[in-house]
Amino acid sequence: MTRKDDYYNRAKQEGYRSRAAYKLKQLNEEAGLISEGNTVVDLGAAPGGWLQVANELAGDSGTVVGVDLQRIKPIDGVETVRGDMTEDDTREEVVDMVREADQREASESGSGEERPASGEADAVVSDMAPNMTGEYSLDHARSVYLARMAFETSLELLAPGGDFVAKVFEGPDTDDLRADIDEEFEYVRTIHPKASRDSSSELFMVAKGRLTAPVREGDQLEVDIEDVGSEGDGIAKVEGYTLFVSGTEAGETVEVRVTDVKPRFGFAERVD
Ligand code: SAM
């Protein structure tokens, strides 16, 4: 039996709407993308295999929103939008829907906590694919365009530390896309899940840890050391973002170079 039949039959037996469901399962096993209670946005979600998997992983306390050009048959616990992700209107609708779903979740769970105006999602995943023409360079270019749309949407939706996945057909523009994604996340990997057909040129860009910090590795700037942390490093704030600077003392103003940027804090070394 070929692998294609394998996954196709498994999907039938296990009640998944598509064999693609196993790709998200494998991506999640490899990269740890979705956990209980998460808010997940799935772009290019029809017929809904990924939505089923995301819904299982996020559980009752999670929020799952799916978007597609095609109608998606209802799934319990999942909200859907029918629209074109290359259009501003659809992207705005998705951002609004995620925000509302999240607010509702917060009030139902009794936390009463008002979420910030943006950055609500823990994961944005895209399996969007263009209609294939069979002309390699055109199909590649269109898939990169869809992945870029997904990437831009993820920047609007993701909370600091959130993760992003996008399918792309390999080709000359893949490296540029990867480099652009890398700028906005802690790191990015490309994964070719087992459930993808051997003959397929598809791969998944998997980006971990959305960075919203106002600095990037290599930046040089002057900071005021406001305090000293428990590990003995000086603490500076840059637009509210915490930078740890070793070998400094509270009250000093120092020139530093940023050496490592994490979603919620970073490290720098003094250069003066
Ligand atoms: N992940 C899905 C699943 O597990 O069932 C399969 C997704 S299928 C490979 C790709 C989907 O991308 C198609 O349903 C297609 O309609 C959708 N798509 C392509 N271009 C799109 C666009 N511009 N906006 C929204 N969806 C799009």
Side-chain angles (χ1 to χ4, degrees):
M1 196 187 277
T2 67
R3 235 173 48 193
K4 174 191 163 187
D5 295 332
D6 237 12
Y7 284 113
Y8 177 83
N9 289 329
R10 263 179 78 183
K12 288 237 143 181
Q13 280 160 13
E14 294 177 6
Y16 289 116
R17 293 181 180 183
S18 64
R19 63 193 297 294
Y22 298 98
K23 297 180 197 172
L24 184 59
K25 276 181 187 268
Q26 289 165 2
L27 291 168
N28 187 61
E29 275 158 26
E30 207 152 323
L33 303 165
I34 303 170
S35 39
E36 187 90 26
N38 277 178
T39 295
V40 183
V41 182
D42 180 8
L43 309 175
W50 280 32
L51 286 176
Q52 291 172 295
V53 172
N55 202 26
E56 285 166 19
L57 294 167
D60 287 345
S61 57
T63 300
V64 179
V65 175
V67 190
D68 205 286
L69 291 168
Q70 314 286 334
R71 184 177 171 273
I72 301 167
K73 276 198 255 152
I75 299 174
D76 251 4
V78 172
E79 305 203 36
T80 58
V81 176
R82 186 170 182 180
D84 183 344
M85 281 306 296
T86 65
E87 286 178 5
D88 292 345
D89 284 358
T90 309
R91 288 202 298 275
E92 278 163 26
E93 192 181 339
V94 175
V95 171
D96 287 348
M97 183 179 255
V98 172
R99 191 168 302 155
E100 281 161 22
D102 247 21
Q103 300 283 12
R104 216 168 32 246
E105 197 67 50
S107 65
E108 276 164 17
S109 71
S111 74
E113 143 203 359
E114 275 275 308
R115 298 286 198 107
S118 64
E120 287 88 346
D122 301 291
V124 173
V125 296
S126 167
D127 194 23
M128 280 194 286
N131 281 328
M132 302 299 273
T133 63
E135 195 187 317
Y136 167 78
S137 56
L138 185 61
D139 292 340
H140 163 64
R142 286 184 173 165
S143 90
V144 169
Y145 181 65
L146 289 174
R148 281 198 178 276
M149 288 290 134
F151 171 48
E152 276 167 29
T153 308
S154 81
L155 298 183
E156 276 185 72
L157 283 170
L158 285 175
D163 298 336
F164 170 64
V165 173
K167 174 157 81 182
V168 67
F169 297 121
E170 204 166 2
D173 297 338
T174 324
D175 285 349
D176 279 353
L177 173 66
R178 183 184 167 131
D180 290 346
I181 296 173
D182 201 24
E183 293 251 307
E184 302 292 340
F185 289 83
E186 268 189 272
Y187 63 89
V188 56
R189 303 162 58 186
T190 48
I191 300 181
H192 186 84
K194 286 198 200 74
S196 289
R197 296 186 173 97
D198 281 339
S199 59
S200 166
S201 67
E202 76 180 13
L203 50 82
F204 291 85
M205 300 265 173
V206 178
K208 295 282 297 175
R210 162 87 170 109
L211 298 176
T212 49
V215 293
R216 287 292 180 267
E217 202 176 310
D219 285 358
Q220 208 160 309
L221 64 158
E222 193 180 83
V223 295
D224 297 324
I225 305 299
E226 295 178 5
D227 204 350
V228 173
S230 54
E231 307 273 306
D233 286 347
I235 297 175
K237 294 279 184 188
V238 183
E239 294 168 33
Y241 178 79
T242 302
L243 268 185
F244 291 104
V245 190
S246 59
T248 53
E249 284 173 22
E252 277 187 293
T253 296
V254 288
E255 181 80 9
V256 300
R257 184 184 306 108
V258 179
T259 53
D260 193 9
V261 179
K262 307 272 184 212
R264 288 177 184 80
F265 55 85
F267 298 94
E269 60 189 13
R270 61 189 303 166
V271 291
D272 55 1

